[in-house]
Amino acid sequence: MPQSPHNWRSASAKPELVDSFGRTVRDLRISVTDRCNFRCTYCMPEEGMQWLPRTEVLTYEEIVRVARICVERFGVDGIRLTGGEPTVRAHLPVLIEKLASLEVPANADSPLAGKPVDLALTTNGATLALVAHDLKRAGLSRINVSLDTLDREKFIQITKRDELDSVLEGISVARDVGFSPVKVNAVVQRGVNDDEVVALAAFGREHEVEVRFIEFMPLDAQGGWLNNAVVGQDEIVSTIHNVFPLEQLPSRGAAPADRWRYLDGRGTVGVIPTVTKPFCGDCDRVRLTADGQFRTCLFATDEFDVRALLRGGAGDDAIEALLRRAVGEKWAGHSIGQVSFVRPRRSMSQIGG
Ligand code: SAM
Ligand code: SF4
C-alpha cells in the first residue's frame, strides 16, 4: 500500500516544530471557554463582557483533533486547559479523558516520549472541591489554582464573588485527591494585594503548595493596566526573602516561572516575571482559543483560523500546515513597556491565560 507523505515523514523524522528563532514548541494551552463565574478586576469587567456564541466554540472532538495533531506531529508533550474558567464548561472530565489518552511519540525529543502527555488545568478553584475527584479520575495530572488574597473582603473586591472559602476548600480537596503538585497563582497588583505577598508565601509553606506570583500584565479587558500597578519580581522576591530566606533554583528552562527554595527546607516559591524580565527567548508555548484561533503568543496580534479548516472538511495535513506557518511567523517576543507595544485585540479570558 502506498504511504502518505505524513506516514513517510513520521516513520523517518522526529516529530517537532521549531520556530525561526530556534525555539521548539512543546506546550499547548487550550482555552475551553471564554466564560467565567468570577469577574477578577485585572481580567474582565463586572458586567458587559460579550461571550462567544456557543456555535463558535470548538467542540470537544475539534479540540482533541488539534491537540492530537500537535502531539503526534510536533511532539508536544504538555497540554494545559484554561479559559475563562474551564470548570464552567459542561462535562469537562470527558475532554480530560480524551486528552489524557494522547501519547507523546516514542521518537519525540522529550522525557515523556512513549508516555501520556502531561495534562494540567488552571482554575479559579470555586467549584474545585466538587469536581477535583472527577478531574483526577479522568486523568488530569496537575492543577494550578488562582488565589490573590487570603482576606475575604479583598477577595470580594478582586473577584466580585464571595468565594474565598470555596477556593481554599478546593485547594485542600485537590491535595487530598492526590494532585501533586498543586500550585497557587497570585497576580500581584500595587495597592491591591502587594501587602499580602508574605502572607501568601506563608500559606504556601503551611499547605505545601508552590505559590507562583504573577506580574500584572496589560491584558485586562478594561484597558486599565498601568506600569506602576506592576509589582516586579525583584521586589516580590526581596519581600519574601526578608522574612523567609530564599535561594534561587537553577534555570527555569522553558517554564514561565523563576523558582526559589526556602532555606529552611519548607518548599519552593515562583515568580512569573512577564513584564520586568520577559522570558520570550525560552518560550515553548502555543495557544488555541475557545473559538479555534491558533496563537503563538499571549500578546500576539495575529491569530490563525483553525476552526475554519476544522469545519471546512480539511485533512490533518492542511491543519498541520497552518500551525507550522503560524509558528514559522512567531515573533521574537512582546514589547510590553516600550512604545512599540500594541495590546492584543482580545483580553486574557478571551485568549486563555
Ligand atoms: N479562570 C482560571 C483562573 O483564573 O485560574 C483560568 C483562566 S485565567 C485567565 C489564568 C490565569 O491568568 C490566572 O492565574 C489569572 O490570575 C491570570 N490573569 C488574568 N488576568 C491577568 C492579568 N491581567 N495579568 C496577569 N495575570 C492575569
Ligand atoms: Fe475568571 Fe480567571 Fe479571569 Fe478571574 S482570572 S475573571 S477567574 S478567567
Side-chain angles (χ1 to χ4, degrees):
M1 202 173 82
Q3 285 189 314
S4 76
H6 172 62
N7 288 341
W8 173 81
R9 185 189 50 240
S10 60
S12 61
K14 261 194 318 200
E16 65 177 10
L17 180 51
V18 184
D19 71 20
S20 62
F21 297 92
R23 297 168 297 193
T24 304
V25 172
R26 294 261 174 253
D27 189 54
L28 171 65
R29 307 263 159 134
I30 300 174
S31 172
V32 299
T33 179
D34 61 327
R35 295 172 193 240
C36 189
N37 43 1
F38 281 13
R39 295 288 182 276
C40 304
T41 50
Y42 50 72
C43 184
M44 59 169 84
E46 193 166 2
E47 283 175 30
M49 198 72 188
Q50 292 290 313
W51 310 122
L52 289 167
R54 287 185 197 278
T55 51
E56 290 186 13
V57 173
L58 293 191
T59 64
Y60 284 169
E61 287 70 23
E62 289 168 332
I63 291 174
V64 172
R65 184 165 173 215
V66 178
R68 180 179 52 71
I69 290 169
C70 290
V71 172
E72 287 179 358
R73 300 192 175 203
F74 307 147
V76 160
D77 61 7
I79 295 178
R80 177 172 292 278
L81 301 180
T82 180
E85 173 49 38
T87 59
V88 303
R89 181 136 179 203
H91 312 300
L92 186 65
V94 172
L95 175 66
I96 288 175
E97 208 172 317
K98 290 178 198 287
L99 293 173
S101 70
L102 295 175
E103 214 168 78
V104 182
N107 59 342
D109 187 10
S110 161
L112 293 180
K115 300 194 177 114
V117 288
D118 176 40
L119 187 58
L121 174 83
T122 303
T123 174
N124 64 26
T127 61
L128 190 54
L130 305 174
V131 298
H133 190 71
D134 290 345
L135 299 177
K136 181 77 186 159
R137 202 170 37 198
L140 187 70
S141 335
R142 296 186 295 114
I143 212 154
N144 285 32
V145 185
S146 299
L147 175 67
D148 308 316
T149 175
L150 298 164
D151 177 275
R152 183 175 168 205
E153 289 309 316
K154 207 182 285 179
F155 189 95
I156 297 171
Q157 183 194 326
I158 294 173
T159 65
K160 308 298 176 197
R161 298 290 185 269
D162 188 3
E163 296 283 1
L164 175 60
D165 288 346
S166 326
V167 176
L168 294 175
E169 194 193 347
I171 292 170
S172 160
V173 173
R175 289 193 58 227
D176 290 348
V177 303
F179 284 110
S180 178
V182 173
K183 293 182 182 166
V184 164
N185 289 354
V187 178
V188 189
Q189 286 178 279
R190 174 93 51 215
V192 176
N193 61 344
D194 51 337
D195 58 341
E196 276 196 83
V197 166
V198 170
L200 286 162
F203 174 88
R205 288 161 54 86
E206 186 185 336
H207 296 273
E208 297 175 9
V209 294
E210 179 173 298
V211 178
R212 292 152 30 117
F213 294 97
I214 305 177
E215 292 181 353
F216 180 30
M217 304 174 211
L219 284 174
D220 54 314
Q222 296 101 305
W225 181 88
L226 286 173
N227 204 16
N228 61 15
V230 177
V231 180
Q233 177 179 96
D234 290 347
E235 182 179 337
I236 293 170
V237 172
S238 70
T239 303
I240 301 170
H241 180 73
N242 285 339
V243 182
F244 305 121
L246 293 168
E247 175 184 71
Q248 185 156 17
L249 291 168
S251 143
R252 70 163 99 82
D258 290 317
R259 298 172 70 230
W260 285 259
R261 74 173 193 92
Y262 293 108
L263 286 181
D264 63 7
R266 291 191 60 188
T268 54
V269 64
V271 181
I272 301 181
T274 312
V275 178
T276 66
K277 298 181 202 281
F279 39 86
C280 308
D282 295 322
C283 178
D284 68 349
R285 286 170 287 287
V286 290
R287 296 168 188 273
L288 183 66
T289 65
D291 57 347
Q293 305 303 303
F294 188 73
R295 302 174 62 92
T296 56
C297 174
L298 198 46
F299 300 96
T301 44
D302 288 333
E303 297 185 338
F304 294 78
D305 192 355
V306 189
R307 189 186 63 199
L309 291 186
L310 290 164
R311 296 191 179 172
D316 288 358
D317 288 348
I319 294 171
E320 173 183 350
L322 179 73
L323 305 186
R324 283 194 184 276
R325 181 159 68 81
V327 168
E329 291 176 21
K330 179 165 175 163
W331 60 17
H334 67 71
S335 53
I336 296 173
Q338 298 168 32
V339 280
S340 55
F341 179 69
V342 178
R343 279 179 69 114
R345 188 175 51 82
R346 305 212 263 181
S347 58
M348 185 68 112
S349 63
Q350 297 167 321
I351 297 168

